Amino acid sequence: MSTSSRSEATKEYSSSEAAPPRIVAVIDIGATSIRMEIAQIGAEGRIKPLSRLVRPVDLGKDAFTSRKFQRKSIEQAVKILKSYQQALLEFGIQSPENIRVVATSAVREAANRLQFLDRVYIATGLQIDSIDEAEVNRITYMGIQPHLERDRELSSAKAVVVEVGGGSTELLVVRGGNVLASDTYRLGAVRLAEVLETLGAPRSKRRAIMENRIGQTVAQIQELVRIDMRIELIAIGGDIRFAAHHIHPEWDGSTLAKLPISQLERLTNAVVDCDQDEIVRRYGISFAEAETLGPALLTYLQLAKAFELKNIYVSNTNLRDGLLHEMAARDSLTAEFRNQIIRSATTLGRKFDFDEAFAKHTAELASKLFAQLREAHRLESRFEVILYVAALLHEIGNAISDRSNHKHAMYIIRNSELFGLTRHDVLLVALLARYHRRAFPQPSHDPYGTLQLDQRVIVSKLAAILRLAIALNASRSGRVKDIRCTTERNRMVIQVPGVEDVSLEQLAMRQNRGLFEEIYGKAVLLRSGR
């Protein structure tokens, strides 16, 4: 891709204008606590923490046992959020664009999560984003990346970033700033604690039960993380931060703490051998923190031993830090995430032996069309990357069969993980691949028919553009390198500079332009560069 072309395709992903200072807040509704951080975002995205609040909740216990929030737990959460609203007012934070409220696994898994979300909105006016695993991993990367960039030793290794939460364990594998893999496992400290309580396990048996459960997940992680080079483990989460402060009381959290495995093991043994009352008395923490401390530390310890590490690193980074970095970055770092998403999609394509050169050139043409047709489609810039990924992957169904390869592509994409894309985003990519040829989108089609009207329109608009990009690359030679789109008497004219004979592309365009003409109401004409 040329410099000028790359600039055109990604100009929406950077901004030279310095944002004025603003005060923002992020609230994280987790399994065991609701945490809020208030910060000032200054020039060049600098973040200055102003206030941190944390209150314990029982949402995880409800969600991971009965899969339903009890009324008492819901009202407990509402009361906490109302108290946080008072703090927001004191800092003058009122605009919704300066407040981000997210919920993770506990809310995702509760059968009555919609009632919970509605109750919170009615009581407080706060809208909660129930973020999925892919978005958690993306936000985690946003928070941890600055540490990796500052440490040459870590950036040259394969960094395994792990957070053992209440309901799940999140994993990122990063090397040189590139995300190699990401996954989520249904292993969490609250889940483990609930297993012990359900089984009524005596103290003498608790460790063996936990190690058995943890070992199953550790084995899966070992399969994902190939030991083909030096591995470094970076742990995040409240429980491992407690361990870091206990082992290194002088640690201020501004850098990564390096914990010897021998010292972590001694602390873990001491915690696991105590009951909750003893943990609270000995370490001065709350009962909610005491419940998860042992299971979480044991998980980190077993993972470090599985990779035969002598030390692990601990980061003070958390989900809220990632959210703040995201709010501070606005468009300036979106280009980097775009690149990470594309790398993840390219990796998926290679698994199915796709024609990489053809796919990338088609994707670049789709981006050019998206940029030049902005007044026609009027879509947000974030949909460009969804179109790009769909163009990359639209032919991977050929790995199953040439016949109905568009449907096979949809199936593969829907059942794959793409870093940085939410499950809904992945569904949109899958549908675009489904409609890159053959039938136009129809409400009777599943899952297209299940989408809301605005999402169906987005799929149709993008699929129409994708078909034009495929036609422009009909020769599969990459000879169409630039395009210019203009409007003439209700016709959309695409001119191809530098290519005199476009008869093959014109034939393909006549076959592919129908959806565009139906959606945008304009005839499509392709002209050579003469």
Side-chain angles (χ1 to χ4, degrees):
M1 194 178 202
S2 67
T3 302
S4 60
S5 299
R6 191 179 303 279
S7 173
E8 178 184 24
T10 62
K11 64 183 178 180
E12 290 295 318
Y13 294 93
S14 61
S15 175
S16 59
E17 298 180 5
R22 59 184 181 136
I23 299 178
V24 302
V26 293
I27 300 174
D28 170 19
I29 302 175
T32 60
S33 63
I34 299 179
R35 300 172 182 267
M36 179 171 75
E37 181 143 358
I38 297 174
Q40 182 184 63
I41 298 176
E44 299 180 358
R46 294 191 181 91
I47 299 171
K48 178 183 178 182
L50 300 177
S51 179
R52 293 185 179 93
L53 296 172
V54 56
R55 300 280 179 82
V57 290
D58 296 324
L59 297 175
K61 284 186 177 181
D62 292 348
F64 305 142
T65 53
S66 65
R67 293 183 56 82
K68 183 177 181 180
F69 293 143
Q70 302 300 315
R71 171 59 59 187
K72 179 181 177 181
S73 300
I74 294 176
E75 294 308 318
Q76 178 189 27
V78 168
K79 184 177 179 180
I80 293 170
L81 291 170
K82 282 184 174 180
S83 70
Y84 285 179
Q85 279 188 308
Q86 184 60 41
L88 294 176
L89 291 175
E90 291 172 1
F91 279 93
I93 304 173
Q94 294 179 308
S95 174
E97 69 177 12
N98 291 329
I99 304 171
R100 182 87 191 272
V101 187
V102 301
T104 51
S105 59
V107 174
R108 280 200 310 267
E109 295 189 22
N112 60 339
R113 61 186 176 280
L114 294 181
Q115 293 92 316
F116 172 76
L117 298 178
D118 290 347
R119 173 68 184 121
V120 169
Y121 179 74
I122 291 170
T124 67
L126 295 172
Q127 289 189 310
I128 301 172
D129 293 331
S130 182
I131 57 178
D132 64 19
E133 298 92 336
E135 191 164 5
V136 170
N137 283 328
R138 178 177 61 80
I139 295 169
T140 298
Y141 173 84
M142 195 81 164
I144 200 69
Q145 182 59 16
H147 287 297
L148 299 179
E149 289 176 346
R150 289 195 296 265
D151 194 311
R152 290 185 179 180
E153 185 177 350
L154 287 177
S155 62
S156 63
K158 184 181 285 187
V160 181
V161 185
V162 180
E163 179 174 14
V164 181
S168 60
T169 294
E170 308 289 343
L171 184 86
L172 276 178
V173 184
V174 185
R175 183 191 177 193
N178 297 325
V179 176
L180 305 180
S182 62
D183 211 339
T184 301
Y185 303 89
R186 285 176 60 84
L187 174 75
V190 175
R191 287 190 201 276
L192 284 171
E194 290 302 318
V195 167
L196 296 177
E197 185 175 331
T198 301
L199 295 176
R203 184 183 300 186
S204 61
K205 301 289 186 182
R206 288 188 302 180
R207 180 166 189 148
I209 293 172
M210 287 193 291
E211 286 181 338
N212 180 59
R213 296 293 181 107
I214 294 168
Q216 296 172 27
T217 299
V218 169
Q220 296 175 39
I221 292 174
Q222 284 180 293
E223 290 182 11
L224 179 68
V225 184
R226 292 186 301 159
I227 307 179
D228 52 0
M229 61 180 301
R230 181 166 55 87
I231 301 288
E232 297 290 357
L233 182 63
I234 303 175
I236 58 178
D239 297 296
I240 197 65
R241 285 197 300 271
F242 165 84
H245 284 295
H246 182 82
I247 295 171
H248 297 302
E250 74 285 357
W251 182 50
D252 63 1
S254 61
T255 59
L256 295 176
K258 193 173 184 178
L259 302 189
I261 296 303
S262 58
Q263 294 187 44
L264 176 60
E265 185 167 18
R266 282 197 293 272
L267 175 61
T268 302
N269 292 341
V271 170
V272 172
D273 287 341
C274 296
D275 61 25
Q276 286 187 36
D277 292 335
E278 291 173 314
I279 295 172
V280 170
R281 287 195 302 270
R282 180 180 295 187
Y283 300 106
I285 60 179
S286 68
F287 280 96
E289 293 168 320
E291 182 181 32
T292 63
L293 186 60
L297 294 186
L298 194 58
T299 303
Y300 290 115
L301 179 63
Q302 279 198 231
L303 192 55
K305 286 185 172 183
F307 288 114
E308 300 180 352
L309 302 176
K310 294 182 178 179
N311 302 281
I312 69 169
Y313 293 89
V314 178
S315 171
N316 198 38
T317 296
N318 52 54
L319 183 64
R320 295 170 304 288
D321 291 329
L323 290 168
L324 287 172
H325 277 92
E326 189 175 55
M327 295 177 78
R330 289 187 170 177
D331 289 342
S332 62
L333 288 184
T334 306
E336 175 58 27
F337 278 117
R338 178 181 183 275
N339 292 337
Q340 295 291 351
I341 292 167
I342 291 170
R343 289 189 189 103
S344 179
T346 302
T347 299
L348 177 61
R350 289 170 181 166
K351 288 181 180 178
F352 292 91
D353 197 27
F354 76 149
D355 184 339
E356 189 166 342
F358 166 76
K360 285 186 175 180
H361 193 71
T362 303
E364 289 166 4
L365 290 171
S367 281
K368 292 175 188 291
L369 287 167
F370 185 93
Q372 295 195 31
L373 299 176
R374 187 168 287 106
E375 289 187 6
H377 61 67
R378 299 183 182 276
L379 296 176
E380 297 175 18
S381 298
R382 69 185 185 89
F383 290 110
E384 182 272 341
V385 74
I386 290 175
L387 173 62
Y388 192 103
V389 171
L392 269 181
L393 300 177
H394 74 277
E395 281 195 339
I396 62 173
N398 285 331
I400 298 176
S401 172
D402 292 342
R403 186 175 182 180
S404 297
N405 71 75
H406 54 304
K407 294 181 181 179
H408 296 316
M410 178 178 71
Y411 175 82
I412 293 171
I413 296 169
R414 282 192 76 184
N415 292 279
S416 299
E417 293 286 340
L418 291 171
F419 174 78
L421 295 184
T422 66
R423 291 191 184 281
H424 182 70
D425 292 337
V426 171
L427 174 60
L428 295 184
V429 172
L431 284 169
L432 293 184
R434 159 73 171 86
Y435 293 120
H436 84 268
R437 66 173 199 157
R438 299 283 180 91
F440 293 179
Q442 299 293 332
S444 59
H445 294 169
D446 182 52
Y448 176 80
T450 64
L451 297 178
Q452 297 292 327
L453 174 60
D454 62 329
Q455 298 299 299
R456 295 201 302 271
V457 170
I458 289 169
V459 169
S460 296
K461 286 181 175 181
L462 294 179
I465 294 174
L466 176 57
R467 292 187 181 207
L468 299 189
I470 293 170
L472 288 169
N473 200 20
S475 70
R476 304 183 80 94
S477 65
R479 65 178 183 172
V480 175
K481 292 179 170 51
D482 198 11
I483 56 171
R484 294 173 188 169
C485 299
T486 58
T487 300
E488 296 179 4
R489 297 191 303 276
N490 205 38
R491 292 187 308 181
M492 200 268 285
V493 179
I494 304 175
Q495 190 164 0
V496 183
V499 181
E500 293 194 4
D501 182 6
V502 292
S503 55
L504 178 62
E505 288 80 6
Q506 287 174 330
L507 176 61
M509 189 65 71
R510 284 196 291 272
Q511 295 173 335
N512 283 25
R513 66 190 179 187
L515 181 58
F516 186 94
E517 293 176 345
E518 179 176 293
I519 297 300
Y520 292 91
K522 291 182 179 180
V524 179
L525 179 64
L526 179 64
R527 289 178 179 166
S528 68
R530 288 177 297 181

